[in-house]
Amino acid sequence: MKFIKTVFLLLILLQACNLLAQSPGNAVKLYEMKQYSRAKSAFLADLKTRNSASDWFKLGKIYSLQNQSDSARLCFSKIAETEPRSALNIIAQAISELSSGNNTQALTILDKAQKTAASAKDVNALIEIAPIRYQAGDTAGWINPLMLASVFDSKNVKAYITAGEIYCLLGDRFPHQPFIGLASGRFEQALYLDPGNIQAYTAQAELFILGRNYTEAGQYLSNVILKDSNYIPALKIYGELSYTLGRYDKASVLYGRYMALAEHSEKDLSRYINILYFNNEYAKAIELISPVLAKEPSNAVMLRLKGYISYELGKYPEGLDAMRKFFELRSAADTSKILPSDYEYMGKLFSRNGNDSVSIIFLKKAVEMDSTRNGLLEDISKSYEKQKKYLQAVEFYSKFVTARNGNVAPAIYFSIGKDLLIQANDVTTTADSLLRPVYLKRADTAFRKVIELSPGSHLGYLWHARVMAALDPETTLGLARADYEQALALLEPKADKVKYKNDLVEGYRYMGYYTYLQFETAKAAHDESSKERAKTNSLNFWQKVLELDPENDKAKQAINALK
């Protein structure tokens, strides 16, 4: 069923693409959207029924952009057959010279073309000249043909849009010059003349994004999509903006539609897979990655994404295999391109594959590269715990607490206390050493914090009681009494006695033994009143133990001793 849905979706998207290419007048629209392969097909189809010099010219430009010079010259030759006096003939010659690297000759030819176009008041030809002059190296004079075009047709929006686009190119080259502002001014002029012009709207939105004016950029792009839901440049830019703002569900829809309609690059595919990853669409992402890696098994970007997504899908062996290959490629080529997240996922994948000692190495590297990933300190601690290296686990839990200024879940303090208690009770290391009371004191502090943060949970009291019991091994001081009493007060109202059986039995046993010692003390002191009270309390606790665990020998022995 999933496969059928996928095929059905692909058919719909292909149909949308075909409609976009076949609709009348869409050749020029596709050309303006830089969808050159589809525009080429559309122009070729149109030229079968009409002989247009402008179409031959644009088709020649596409072939030139695709480095198909012979095909470009053939198309350019058709211009002369269609409109012998058109300035496009001369402009085409300049493009051919430019393609051959003859910039000076191209500019000389463009001077002639500009005069011819001006003489004929050919606004479209003048607009075509401007970007070619810029490409040929004329970073100052390119504006002149556009100014002439505006003189001949003051309401020509294309002249302003072209000027804006070239100013944007200059802004990239010379970021400290006011070219971006000039570009914005041209796009706004275009919108003044044509308030619904989606090309100008989209271009202006890009500049807003450049200036981090994301709100206005979003409004502009939203208007474009409302006017034309298939406008490819806006879909891409709006998708990327949504991704930047962390609106991954919206980014997925917009960028997904862009990918369905556009001639996209590998970079676009990587961006889309990233969006799917952040939107938790892991299965969809892996479907896109697999065919790429089948053709290019050494594609480092796709290996990285496969590693990340395989981890999220729980496919840990596959993810580790992908990340190993990724690191081999990066180590051989350029280690500066290894990201903190690469070390993070490699570490997590090693852990999930049962190799925590290696996992720790990678996780530490991730934190070293990016201190904001301090959440990994908890992962490092857990890896140490799995290796039963409790002091190291406590060390990194403590670093995690410090990194978060103490703002961590009660479970972190609980883990610190538990690991310290385990270490203190380890007879092979610290049971008889001077360090044992040190560990118990630190565990005491940790469990007190658990109680403070989570007073409604019995666990803090129960484990703190265990620490107190370890500090009072003979139970003569009753250090654990208050904690066990509080733990039992929280446990006894719970309906599921089976689930909490062991914890209840532990509390009742402690209290039974503690009150039994009180009985013995009173008995030795011949204090009959205290003796009977202690006996009653102790019997009560041991009876509760037997109710939960009828075969409990300790309880039976204690009851017999109290008779």
Side-chain angles (χ1 to χ4, degrees), residues 500-531:
Y500 299 105
K501 172 186 168 182
N502 291 338
D503 293 344
L504 285 163
V505 167
E506 179 183 336
Y508 292 141
R509 281 185 55 179
Y510 179 88
M511 294 302 298
Y513 183 64
Y514 173 71
T515 50
Y516 174 80
L517 291 179
Q518 287 184 317
F519 165 77
E520 290 289 344
T521 301
K523 182 179 176 182
H526 303 290
D527 184 346
E528 293 299 318
S529 174
S530 296
K531 184 183 81 168

Side-chain angles (χ1 to χ4, degrees), residues 160-172:
Y160 291 104
I161 292 175
T162 302
E165 290 173 341
I166 297 173
Y167 276 129
C168 283
L169 294 173
L170 284 165
D172 286 339

Side-chain angles (χ1 to χ4, degrees), residues 7 17 22 93 112 169 184 206 216 273 277 424 477 484 525 535:
V7 171
C17 295
Q22 293 168 8
Q93 295 173 30
K112 180 182 176 182
L169 294 173
S184 180
E206 276 198 281
E216 200 155 4
I273 293 170
Y277 162 71
L477 301 175
Y484 274 121
K535 177 182 177 180

